[in-house]
Amino acid sequence: MGNLIKTSLKLLLRNKGFWFFLITMPVLSAFIMRINGNADMAYFRTDVTREVREIDGVDQKVAYYGKSGEFLVKVYDASGSELSEAFLKNLAQSGAILVCRTKAPGFTKTDADARMEKDGFEDRMGAALYLSKDFDDGILAGDAERAMTIYLLSEDERFALLEREIKGFFEEVAATAKLTGKQGSELAGEMDKFHENDPAKEIKSMARKGAANLTREQVNQKAQMGYAFSFLTLCFVFCGVIVAHTAIEEEKHKVLTRIRLTGTGNFTYFASKFVTSVIVSLMITAVLGVLTVFLGKEQLGMSRPSFLLMVFLMGVIFNSLSLLLGILSGDVMSANFVAFTIWSISCLLAGLYFPLDDASKMIKTISYVMPQRWFMDCVTQIFMGDKRGYFMVLCITTAYLIIILSLGGMGLKMKKMEQ
């Protein structure tokens, strides 16, 4: 077996593609981890809008404004008074409601009704409001129908919040007017003075049930590591396929037949290729280990040996998988196609590019078939100081290798029977 391993390694070292992946991908991985990213924007809602969004014209769509799951409310403001401005600011300050206002002087309720028939089908929002030109008089008189018209355009339960905010504002206006005896712009000014002493609102991120509550720094580190794992996965799968190329070429040129004539069995032959793939994983890890000298713990978020251990184990899984699938395909082009498919689909469904917290249950279930998902969970546990992450990743690696080698053995037997 030793001679077979040496021969395979010599063939690999003569392959320019192998050197490309061996050097380029670890360099890109180290570079992406050194970049200071702002991936916490995908995990924390730091851009909660508490201001009224101004839109140009009644025909402009508002669906594109709701990027963080807010309850979208489109407002046709025919009033334009200071009191209507205070009303919309009050709605926006609730945090869960995103107010998109278009100033529409001269816009009537009939026009609003006609517009709703169109926007209800062509746009996407939770509700819409029409503020009439008599908004001030209507709200001071307690006549909601005269002041505004509310259009419900979804089954979102947060509509009750919108109704409660509107009712609360009506009551506040009535109480302030009775207390101060002022109306119009003066009344709006008195209400602003009253709210000057309101306590400042602070947004805090809470962990989901069963999820770890990482700091913003750790979230950024985890996201950068996910991108690095994507480059490394590409390296592992194609290096595994290059090892498979040696087996394909040896079978094509009858080298495998001459090897069998020496008394070497199929198991010994493919075991030598497997050991070669493990050595390749070790080489890639060694190159990355040299590059991590330029990375500090603020980029890794963990000790260097822990990071390199995970990289090596993930490399063993993907090198072995690509090796066996490449040999089973029996064709160089087919093996390359399989390698690219494995890389692209596994990285996407494992959540290396973006979090899967809001994905469907089916997507989350499928993600746990991907090895990278388990390694990312291990990263989270290590960040939280849970030592069980190391045991978990060792068990996962063992499980994947058992599955890969078992399915590969069956596939090789079936391929031999077909021949």
Side-chain angles (χ1 to χ4, degrees):
M1 183 186 292
N3 290 331
L4 292 175
I5 295 173
K6 290 179 183 179
T7 303
S8 298
L9 289 174
K10 287 180 181 179
L11 292 173
L12 285 176
L13 296 177
R14 294 173 186 171
N15 191 306
K16 295 180 181 178
F18 174 75
W19 282 104
F20 171 80
F21 286 106
L22 180 64
I23 303 298
T24 306
M25 294 300 110
V27 169
L28 289 175
S29 301
F31 176 75
I32 200 70
M33 292 185 69
R34 191 172 176 80
I35 296 175
N36 294 322
N38 292 318
D40 58 347
M41 295 291 288
Y43 293 83
F44 300 105
R45 286 184 57 189
T46 57
D47 60 340
V48 176
T49 302
R50 296 187 180 276
E51 300 294 335
V52 178
R53 292 284 186 91
E54 300 291 345
I55 57 176
D56 299 325
V58 297
D59 57 342
Q60 184 174 347
K61 291 180 172 55
V62 299
Y64 307 109
Y65 288 91
K67 297 180 180 179
S68 300
E70 301 94 342
F71 185 72
L72 267 173
V73 177
K74 187 176 183 179
V75 180
Y76 306 99
D77 188 2
S79 172
S81 66
E82 293 188 25
L83 199 57
S84 68
E85 186 73 23
F87 166 67
L88 296 178
K89 284 183 179 179
N90 181 74
L91 287 182
Q93 287 295 319
S94 67
I97 299 174
L98 178 57
V99 179
C100 298
R101 185 260 302 277
T102 176
K103 295 180 179 180
F107 210 61
T108 65
K109 184 179 182 303
T110 302
D111 295 331
D113 291 340
R115 188 68 212 177
M116 275 300 97
E117 292 183 4
K118 187 174 183 179
D119 282 351
F121 290 100
E122 297 182 358
D123 206 348
R124 191 174 185 180
M125 64 192 82
L129 296 177
Y130 165 67
L131 307 185
S132 70
K133 62 179 181 179
D134 299 324
F135 177 80
D136 289 13
D137 296 335
I139 198 171
L140 289 171
D143 188 353
E145 293 185 2
R146 181 183 176 187
M148 70 177 69
T149 304
I150 305 175
Y151 302 91
L152 176 61
L153 299 173
S154 71
E155 297 180 355
D156 197 314
E157 295 180 356
R158 287 175 293 180
F159 182 73
L161 173 63
L162 174 64
E163 289 184 312
R164 186 166 63 250
E165 291 290 337
I166 294 173
K167 183 180 179 181
F169 185 80
F170 271 58
E171 293 174 350
E172 184 181 352
V173 169
T176 307
K178 184 178 180 179
L179 182 65
T180 63
K182 296 181 178 180
Q183 296 183 353
S185 60
E186 294 183 348
L187 178 60
E190 289 296 324
M191 294 178 67
D192 288 339
K193 291 180 181 178
F194 177 77
H195 287 289
E196 285 179 356
N197 296 323
D198 287 352
K201 296 181 179 179
E202 183 181 358
I203 303 171
K204 287 190 174 289
S205 175
M206 302 298 292
R208 295 169 181 262
K209 183 179 180 181
N213 193 14
L214 300 177
T215 64
R216 292 181 183 275
E217 182 183 8
Q218 288 174 330
V219 167
N220 282 323
Q221 290 168 342
K222 181 180 177 181
Q224 298 301 102
M225 194 167 291
Y227 300 140
F229 280 176
S230 175
F231 284 116
L232 290 171
T233 302
L234 181 64
C235 180
F236 291 138
V237 295
F238 274 99
C239 284
V241 165
I242 292 173
V243 177
H245 286 181
T246 63
I248 293 172
E249 292 298 316
E250 286 172 350
E251 184 177 5
K252 180 179 179 181
H253 296 289
K254 305 301 180 180
V255 176
L256 179 58
T257 303
R258 293 196 294 270
I259 292 174
R260 287 170 178 167
L261 291 175
T262 63
T264 303
N266 287 334
F267 176 81
T268 303
Y269 176 76
F270 288 108
S272 69
K273 297 298 181 183
F274 173 75
V275 173
T276 302
S277 68
V278 173
I279 295 174
V280 168
S281 300
L282 191 60
M283 293 171 65
I284 296 170
T285 305
V287 173
L288 187 62
V290 173
L291 295 171
T292 54
V293 173
F294 303 99
L295 300 176
K297 194 170 182 179
E298 63 275 11
Q299 281 93 27
L300 294 175
M302 63 179 70
S303 65
R304 189 174 288 106
S306 299
F307 173 66
L308 295 178
L309 174 64
M310 286 196 297
V311 170
F312 172 69
L313 294 177
M314 186 169 66
V316 171
I317 293 174
F318 279 104
N319 270 324
S320 303
L321 180 60
S322 298
L323 168 65
L324 290 173
L325 292 178
I327 292 175
L328 289 175
S329 65
D331 179 73
V332 173
M333 290 303 297
S334 299
N336 291 334
F337 176 78
V338 169
F340 182 81
T341 303
I342 292 173
W343 169 70
S344 57
I345 294 179
S346 64
C347 290
L348 180 66
L349 294 180
L352 298 188
Y353 304 130
F354 46 80
L356 299 177
D357 295 338
D358 297 321
S360 65
K361 187 176 181 180
M362 182 181 71
I363 295 297
K364 289 181 179 179
T365 302
I366 294 175
S367 71
Y368 279 105
V369 179
M370 311 303 161
Q372 301 100 315
R373 176 61 188 269
W374 294 98
F375 283 89
M376 293 302 291
D377 287 351
C378 177
V379 168
T380 301
Q381 290 186 338
I382 294 174
F383 282 172
M384 296 297 294
D386 190 350
K387 301 298 183 182
R388 291 177 297 179
Y390 299 106
F391 179 72
M392 181 189 76
V393 77
L394 288 173
C395 292
I396 290 300
T397 302
T398 304
Y400 272 106
L401 288 179
I402 292 173
I403 294 172
I404 291 170
L405 295 177
S406 299
L407 294 177
M410 293 174 57
L412 291 172
K413 286 182 179 180
M414 293 176 62
K415 183 179 179 180
K416 185 177 180 180
M417 290 174 63
E418 291 176 356
Q419 295 174 348

